[in-house]
Amino acid sequence: MQTNLRETDANLDAAHLVGQLADMRANVLLMGMGGITAYYPSQIEFHSASPYLPADRDMFGDVLQAAHAKGIRVVGRFDFSKTSQAAFAAHPEWFFRKANGDPVIYNGLYSTCINGPYYREQALKILSEALDKYPVDGLFFNMFGNQSRDYSGNDVGLCHCAVCRRKYAQMFHKEIPDTPDDDYRKFMFIASREVAASFGDLIHQKRPRAGYFNYVQESTDGIMSESNTAVERPLPLWPYSASDNVNRALNSEPGKMPVNLCMQFVDYWWRFATVSRDEVALRLWENVANGGALAFEVNGTLDQQDRQAVEAAKPVFRWLAQNEQYYSGERSAARVLLLTGPSSTGQTYSQRSYRGLFRLLTEEHIPFAVSSNMRWLGKRDFDLVIAADWAPPELRAYAENGGRVLVVSPREPQFPVAQVVHKWPDRKGYFRIRDRSLFPSLRDTDLLMLDGPYTELSDDAAAPLTLIPPSMIGPPEKVHVDWKDTQQPGIVFRPAGKGTIAWIPWDLGALYYRESLPAHAGLFRDVVDRLYPARQLRTNAHPLVEMTWMQQGDRKLLHLINLSGHSQTGYFAPLPMAGIRIRLAGRFKQATSVRMPGDLPVHVEGGYSTFTLPRLTDYELIVVN
Ligand SMILES: [Zn+2]
């Protein structure tokens, strides 16, 4: 539970807050500690306590003591991205400078630079004092890296302070650009990871049992992310936000705890207006169904003026506390890997392509692990690797050793698959189905829509799917009367050593994300079935039932989340569903539903176990032994 305190909360009643946490059965408090505002008396110069903290009061210390007395752990929150005018007057070299040399000032606070001595020296003094003084269970850091936009959305550009200019010139032999390019993103990546490492070293040295959390993956013990909303964000909403964040964190850095905060507010302007109760509950179930922490955030204290989100979170927290034995140490048991581009390379990857594939896999009930980390391959078995927009050379070796790889992207793989003839940035045409036996899902169509980039491969008379390039679209008398079939493939299958590589050289994921056409889903289903016929899970469940297949010690956990309450910009209570048949690969003896307690009779035949869940409301957990 995170309380994002305001400076006016500095005199809060520790017993009251801890009582509220205990009542909702939260077992970790993430709370404001220092940085911009300290919630305890600090002796470090320019580390000012809140003006609302009485001179004789140590609020953070009081909360820490009260929480520990009730077995609740405390993670302190720091934000070093801004500090006071007094610090700026004394140490101008600590601060972010716009291209014209001006500081960035927001509500009286001056932005610091991650390359400057504030982050590199002063912050370590502040943290040393805090760690010496308080037996915290962890520290969390907000805003790690120079933000080029303030909270109001104003662009402040890139930092041109003396340190940034010197370091950038040393590294890239040029001046800092006006807008971030690949080199600049790499520069900021290195800076944030250097600081992350120095904070981590200090925490681990002074409090070896304390956890270290921030939004970066390196040097930390937990990977933080957020499920949040913003009013100007382009539609559609992303109802799998929490699943996406947690699945990716858990399977990119398997040793670390994913902590995906459910942000209760609508946008920065309305921190005290909450999103729908059902959206809050959905994110919380998604967090734990994917192996992450149950994590929820409020601005201010738990005494909210809009109580809907807290009231929605409470029963979920309490239910999970009663059943906590199922929710620690979960690992993905999925045999399909969805590979997404690494965040560290500075390259941009298509979020739409990735999300389209994420939806296709989820709606098909194919359990999958998301990873941006190639170190996975070879350490854990997968039956199929799907590359969304990024197909690194390691995939070739993986296939040659018997792996099955599906590349879904107009971006050419970083290893040879087929001869590229031309890269079309935008093709508005069709694909014609040539080999019907390969696409049983598409019996009612001969054509698939293509819109967007297409990488033309050398002609193949035997291609199962071939391009029909753009032709006349009007008036009706003229529609496509001039169209011509080609032998340009819409998909290629290639043997690679002991394995197989299939490449769909157009943006099936992005098209599905945008248009949700059943024909594209059918193509995807049939290609997956050809590469990977022995799926782990088959079910008659509605596509809006998300299922995750997890391992916990010797047992398996099947989580079902009902997303049927989501439509357009709304999240409503999900429609109850009945009679969900589940067939799992493997011979299991027992299936027990936990939320609506029941033993589900298991029928074993061949290598498969079948059972039926009689009813699904919002969420169900089935323990399979
Ligand atoms: Zn700087």
Side-chain angles (χ1 to χ4, degrees), residues 93-97 112-116 146 158-165 176 184 187-188:
E93 75 281 9
W94 287 354
F95 291 85
F96 186 108
R97 300 294 180 148
T112 56
C113 173
I114 194 149
N115 277 316
N146 293 349
L158 310 180
C159 182
H160 287 68
C161 78
V163 185
C164 279
R165 280 186 286 133
I176 291 167
Y184 190 79
F187 179 64
M188 274 295 115

Side-chain angles (χ1 to χ4, degrees), residues 356-412:
L357 294 169
F358 192 108
R359 267 189 58 205
L360 283 164
L361 287 163
T362 303
E363 291 167 15
E364 277 294 313
H365 306 109
I366 298 171
F368 64 102
V370 175
S371 187
S372 59
N373 187 342
M374 287 304 298
R375 283 181 288 138
W376 253 120
L377 286 184
K379 288 196 180 166
R380 170 160 157 1
D381 282 342
F382 287 103
D383 293 320
L384 175 64
V385 176
I386 300 175
D389 211 32
W390 177 57
E394 292 92 325
L395 285 180
R396 174 83 201 181
Y398 173 75
E400 282 170 356
N401 285 319
R404 283 160 285 190
V405 173
L406 172 59
V407 179
V408 189
S409 175
R411 196 189 285 238
E412 196 177 352

Side-chain angles (χ1 to χ4, degrees), residues 32 45 50 217 228 240 258 280 284 302 469 496 500 515 594:
E45 207 180 7
S50 163
Q217 295 186 357
N228 56 27
Y240 299 106
V280 168
L284 298 179
L302 279 164
T500 305
E515 308 296 340
V594 179

